[in-house]
């Protein structure tokens, strides 16, 4: 259900947005929205700023969109923050990105706790710097009893690695007799993925005009609705998010049926 009071309070100055929200169907808000937050570098380049300035600006958008999605009644918001391929970037940029969770959660955590948001993370923890992991784990711990929006960060995440890890885990469980071939259904296999316990995304958003998945949730997005926009992530706002939801509500999902 919409939290109308909060929606108005948080976006009081945008009549465009209010009109859009009024038209949205409360019962058909996507339960799980996944976002590939792309275009930070190009946003900065357009302003002759270093790429990291775009990442910093993008962090503020995460806060804005989390708050809005929560007020709209979205249950899970998965955000692609760092891919397993992003290590290829210059060291200085990677270092900056690894410091962002600390800064973001350092200022935003009290608000997340108060707003009943539960923080989660999916991705390979092994190669993350200690301070990055610590700040994320602290947020996970501090919000673990919250039962509002699940804010799921994909950090050092790659879908192929995720699937491969799941397969290896199944093989181990099979060898130790925990599972056999007949028991391995799609549902059971899903429980070996990092999204265990979450529904599949209903809606995938990618910003910045790139029309690809870049190794994001290949299994989970099998029947999701896709919405692409040319808007660069640091320019993305509540109005764009509401537009995506509006388009989503006009789509006819068939899941292979008629
Ligand atoms: C997305 O913005 C953020 C991350 C991948 C971490 P980019 O940094 O990819 O921005 P562009 O695509 O170069 O503009
Ligand atoms: C995908 O964006 C990863 C994140 C948004 C974190 P990229 O910018 O890394 O993707 P490519 O390289 O354009 O495919
Ligand atoms: Mg990019």
């Amino acid at each position: 259900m919409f939290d109308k009071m909060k929606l108005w309070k948080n976006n009081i100055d945008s009549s465009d947005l209010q009109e859009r929200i009024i038209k949205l169907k409360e019962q058909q808000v996507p339960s799980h929205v996944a976002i590939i937050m792309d275009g930070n570098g190009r946003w900065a380049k357009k302003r002759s700023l270093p790429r990291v300035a775009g990442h910093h600006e993008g962090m503020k958008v995460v806060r804005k969109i989390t708050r809005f999605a929560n007020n709209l009644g979205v249950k899970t918001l998965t955000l692609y923050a760092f891919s397993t391929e992003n290590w290829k970037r210059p060291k200085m940029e990677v270092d900056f990105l690894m410091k962002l969770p600390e800064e973001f959660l350092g200022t935003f955590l009290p608000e997340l706790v108060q707003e009943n948001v539960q923080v989660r993370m999916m991705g390979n923890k092994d190669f993350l710097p200690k301070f990055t992991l610590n700040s994320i784990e602290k947020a996970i711990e501090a919000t673990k009893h919250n039962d509002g929006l699940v804010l799921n960060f994909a950090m050092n995440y790659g879908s192929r690695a995720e699937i491969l890890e799941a397969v290896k885990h199944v093989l181990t469980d099979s060898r130790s007799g925990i599972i056999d071939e007949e028991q391995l259904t799609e549902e059971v296999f899903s429980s070996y993925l990092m999204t265990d316990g979450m529904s599949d995304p209903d809606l995938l958003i990618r910003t910045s005009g790139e029309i690809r998945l870049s190794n994001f949730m290949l299994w989970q997005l099998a029947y999701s609705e896709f919405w692409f926009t040319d808007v660069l992530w640091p320019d993305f706002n509540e109005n764009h998010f509401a537009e995506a939801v509006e388009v989503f509500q006009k789509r006819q999902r068939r899941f292979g049926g008629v």
Side-chain angles (χ1 to χ4, degrees), residues 10-254:
N10 289 332
N11 306 286
I12 206 83
D13 53 346
S14 169
S15 56
D16 267 14
L17 177 60
Q18 296 201 359
E19 247 170 67
R20 200 158 240 154
I21 292 169
I22 288 165
K23 280 193 268 163
L24 291 181
K25 302 179 200 94
E26 293 192 36
Q27 308 308 323
Q28 288 173 35
V29 169
S31 172
H32 185 170
V33 180
I35 308 183
I36 303 176
M37 312 182 285
D38 200 10
N40 295 350
R42 276 163 285 168
W43 181 92
K45 195 173 176 216
K46 264 173 52 184
R47 287 160 179 77
S48 310
L49 295 168
R51 290 178 54 83
V52 294
H55 297 315
H56 198 260
E57 198 62 25
M59 187 180 69
K60 298 183 198 161
V61 178
V62 169
R63 181 175 193 165
K64 197 154 67 177
I65 294 304
T66 300
R67 192 187 292 144
F68 185 64
N70 195 17
N71 293 166
L72 213 53
V74 171
K75 297 274 174 279
T76 307
L77 180 66
T78 295
L79 300 177
Y80 205 4
F82 192 89
S83 78
T84 46
E85 286 72 37
N86 287 147
W87 296 105
K88 292 178 195 161
R89 296 183 177 206
K91 185 178 182 303
M92 182 260 192
E93 182 174 344
V94 170
D95 287 350
F96 187 89
L97 287 166
M98 289 303 147
K99 282 187 195 123
L100 277 185
E102 202 172 25
E103 189 187 338
F104 174 78
L105 294 164
T107 55
F108 193 28
L109 186 54
E111 188 179 320
L112 290 173
V113 173
Q114 201 197 339
E115 296 286 317
N116 198 24
V117 172
Q118 187 190 117
V119 177
R120 285 183 62 166
M121 183 205 128
M122 62 175 190
N124 188 342
K125 292 178 178 172
D126 295 346
F127 302 103
L128 291 175
K130 253 209 168 74
F131 61 87
T132 310
L133 199 54
N134 281 349
S135 57
I136 298 172
E137 281 179 340
K138 190 180 146 206
I140 292 172
E141 180 61 28
T143 61
K144 70 179 179 196
H145 297 302
N146 286 352
D147 58 5
L149 176 87
V150 172
L151 177 59
N152 179 35
F153 286 104
M155 189 76 190
N156 194 20
Y157 172 85
S159 186
R160 287 185 171 181
E162 176 193 31
I163 292 169
L164 199 59
E165 272 311 305
V167 170
K168 287 180 184 174
H169 194 171
V170 169
L171 287 174
T172 311
D173 282 357
S174 160
R175 270 196 302 268
S176 32
I178 295 171
I179 190 169
D180 64 27
E181 216 176 306
E182 274 80 66
Q183 290 168 309
L184 188 60
T185 58
E186 288 185 7
E187 203 184 341
V188 169
F189 186 74
S190 292
S191 73
Y192 281 85
L193 297 172
M194 292 166 175
T195 43
D196 179 28
M198 295 179 203
S199 61
D200 289 337
D202 301 287
L203 171 64
L204 170 81
I205 296 173
R206 182 169 188 154
T207 58
S208 90
E210 308 299 352
I211 315 291
R212 55 174 170 264
L213 290 178
S214 303
N215 203 10
F216 190 52
M217 302 183 93
L218 303 178
W219 171 279
Q220 296 88 339
L221 292 171
Y223 266 109
S224 309
E225 296 298 324
F226 289 11
W227 187 78
F228 296 99
T229 175
D230 287 338
V231 173
L232 303 173
W233 179 251
D235 291 326
F236 193 80
N237 60 30
E238 294 92 342
N239 215 353
H240 300 119
F241 191 92
E243 187 186 342
V245 172
E246 191 183 314
V247 172
F248 170 83
Q249 295 191 337
K250 288 185 186 139
R251 299 265 179 92
Q252 211 189 25
R253 302 183 79 185
R254 280 189 287 273

